[in-house]
Amino acid sequence: MIFRLGDFHFPDAPSRLYPDTPGRPWVLEIGFGDGRFWPDYAGTFEAAPNYLGVELSGVSLLKAARRLKAAGLHNAHLTKLPATPLLREAVPEGALSEIVVNFPDPWPKAEHEHHRLLSADFFRLAASRLRPGGAVLLTTDHTDYFEFALAEAERSGVIRAELGQPPAAALHTKYALKWQGLGLEAQHARFVATAQPQALHGALTPYPDTTDPEDARVPHAVLELPADFDFSAFERRAVRLPGAGGASGDTVVLLDAYRSLRREEYTVLAHVVEGELTQEVLINVTQRAGGTTLVRLGKFGGPIITPGVKAAVGAVTDWLVSQGGAVRHLGY
Ligand SMILES: C[S@@+](CC[C@H](N)C(=O)[O-])C[C@H]1O[C@@H](n2cnc3c(N)ncnc32)[C@H](O)[C@@H]1O
């Protein structure tokens, strides 16, 4: 089954994600590509472990979904997200038996090294989400990346690397075959968690499944707008978000505004960047009976209510205030 970000709970639980097999080991695969690994690897277990695959590419997602379906693997979910926020927010502590990374993007240029997935921070997060004795399994053809991962694991202080042979399924993936074709050899390490550091979840909530328009968890504001208010004055604007310790790269960009054909409503399209998590969200500005205007996060796309998403609703509200609006109530 394909999960959108908004389908997860934060954190989630195996009993909710895998109601028929909650007690089985749970494996996360990061960057599953066209999805060849899991049907092959799952076949080496007596009962297929629960599986969560995370990938950035939408094309890969569809290919992998077809493979899982053909293999009849029902306790396997796929999602199109960056791995780190998913691991941090959706996976509970001590839950995973393995995190599998086959042929990660190597980012060979020195100035791009910070894009590499298997950093010391990642290992600390991974160790917190693995069961005691659980491991990150890395298979790569890229010697520089392999050495980088070994050094970062050591630096994390919570992981012990064991070198060995990769599972056979890791040598049958699309990229494994590509590198074998070029005569390159795969290297493999099991990074075993030696401690369970505390790596806390953030404070994210999915868009609540409710029809109550005043639900306190949904960011919204109620304003009175001047009688001659004109939405066509809207201009694209960017708002920088203050990070936990001062300046951060997090940003809200209000990209454009659209008028509804159905009712007295405008919708603002906002791009919200918070670390690795980016969301495109819609903020509805709706005229209500009684003359007030409701500014509210749109449900479309199942947004996750993050500080940045709240700030996007705030940015639209601030703009309306700058155009003469008066705030009556704030719900964010
Ligand atoms: C070189 S490919 C390997 C694919 C597959 N594992 C294989 O062996 O054929 C790396 C994959 O990782 C995915 N990827 C890169 N960074 C990611 C991230 N932060 N989260 C999830 N997937 C990621 C890329 O989209 C790409 O499909």
Side-chain angles (χ1 to χ4, degrees), residues 156-177:
S156 76
V158 292
I159 290 276
R160 181 185 73 244
E162 295 174 354
L163 306 191
Q165 290 304 309
L171 298 178
H172 303 153
T173 70
K174 181 175 167 187
Y175 274 80
L177 298 179

Side-chain angles (χ1 to χ4, degrees), residues 29-37 53-58 60 79-85 100-107 115 117 139 141 169-170 172-179 276:
E29 184 184 2
I30 298 178
F32 53 73
D34 69 2
R36 291 181 209 197
F37 174 77
V54 57
E55 173 52 69
L56 288 175
S57 150
S60 297
T79 190
K80 179 181 171 305
L81 288 170
T84 306
V100 177
V101 188
N102 293 323
F103 303 92
D105 291 334
W107 295 103
H115 290 302
L117 180 72
T139 305
D141 60 288
H172 303 153
T173 70
K174 181 175 167 187
Y175 274 80
L177 298 179
K178 183 169 165 182
W179 298 124
E276 280 191 68

Side-chain angles (χ1 to χ4, degrees), residues 73-193:
L73 288 162
H74 301 296
N75 57 336
H77 302 313
L78 302 174
T79 190
K80 179 181 171 305
L81 288 170
T84 306
L86 177 83
L87 183 61
R88 188 178 53 238
E89 304 300 345
V91 176
E93 274 133 63
L96 297 170
S97 51
E98 288 179 354
I99 299 173
V100 177
V101 188
N102 293 323
F103 303 92
D105 291 334
W107 295 103
K109 290 185 184 161
E111 68 266 30
H112 292 155
E113 204 177 83
H114 61 282
H115 290 302
R116 289 178 171 174
L117 180 72
L118 297 184
S119 64
D121 280 349
F122 175 85
F123 279 120
R124 278 189 283 271
L125 173 64
S128 76
R129 300 302 189 255
L130 285 167
R131 289 179 178 185
V136 178
L137 273 60
L138 167 67
T139 305
T140 177
D141 60 288
H142 200 274
T143 304
D144 267 6
Y145 194 110
F146 193 64
E147 281 167 9
F148 168 86
L150 291 175
E152 290 294 292
E154 166 113 35
R155 202 160 73 80
S156 76
V158 292
I159 290 276
R160 181 185 73 244
E162 295 174 354
L163 306 191
Q165 290 304 309
L171 298 178
H172 303 153
T173 70
K174 181 175 167 187
Y175 274 80
L177 298 179
K178 183 169 165 182
W179 298 124
Q180 281 160 33
L182 294 173
L184 295 168
E185 287 213 0
Q187 288 168 293
H188 178 76
R190 270 178 71 82
F191 295 98
V192 184

Side-chain angles (χ1 to χ4, degrees), residues 160-292:
R160 181 185 73 244
E162 295 174 354
L163 306 191
Q165 290 304 309
L171 298 178
H172 303 153
T173 70
K174 181 175 167 187
Y175 274 80
L177 298 179
K178 183 169 165 182
W179 298 124
Q180 281 160 33
L182 294 173
L184 295 168
E185 287 213 0
Q187 288 168 293
H188 178 76
R190 270 178 71 82
F191 295 98
V192 184
T194 53
Q196 261 210 333
Q198 245 204 338
L200 296 178
H201 301 275
L204 307 191
T205 47
Y207 194 103
D209 191 8
T210 172
T211 49
D212 178 359
E214 300 298 342
D215 190 309
R217 291 171 298 171
V218 179
H220 67 273
V222 177
L223 293 96
E224 270 173 38
L225 297 181
D228 60 347
F229 182 78
D230 181 7
F231 221 100
S232 63
F234 177 87
E235 279 179 5
R236 182 189 156 108
R237 53 180 38 220
V239 179
R240 283 214 161 245
L241 305 179
S248 78
D250 297 352
T251 314
V252 169
V253 186
L254 303 184
L255 289 164
D256 211 340
Y258 306 90
R259 185 176 185 157
S260 168
L261 295 177
R262 272 196 317 118
R263 52 181 168 166
E264 282 305 306
E265 182 173 272
Y266 283 86
T267 293
V268 177
L269 174 62
H271 182 67
V272 182
V273 181
E274 295 167 275
E276 280 191 68
L277 182 64
T278 58
Q279 298 191 75
E280 272 72 46
V281 298
L282 300 178
I283 294 140
N284 299 326
V285 180
T286 316
Q287 245 184 40
R288 302 202 299 181
T292 55

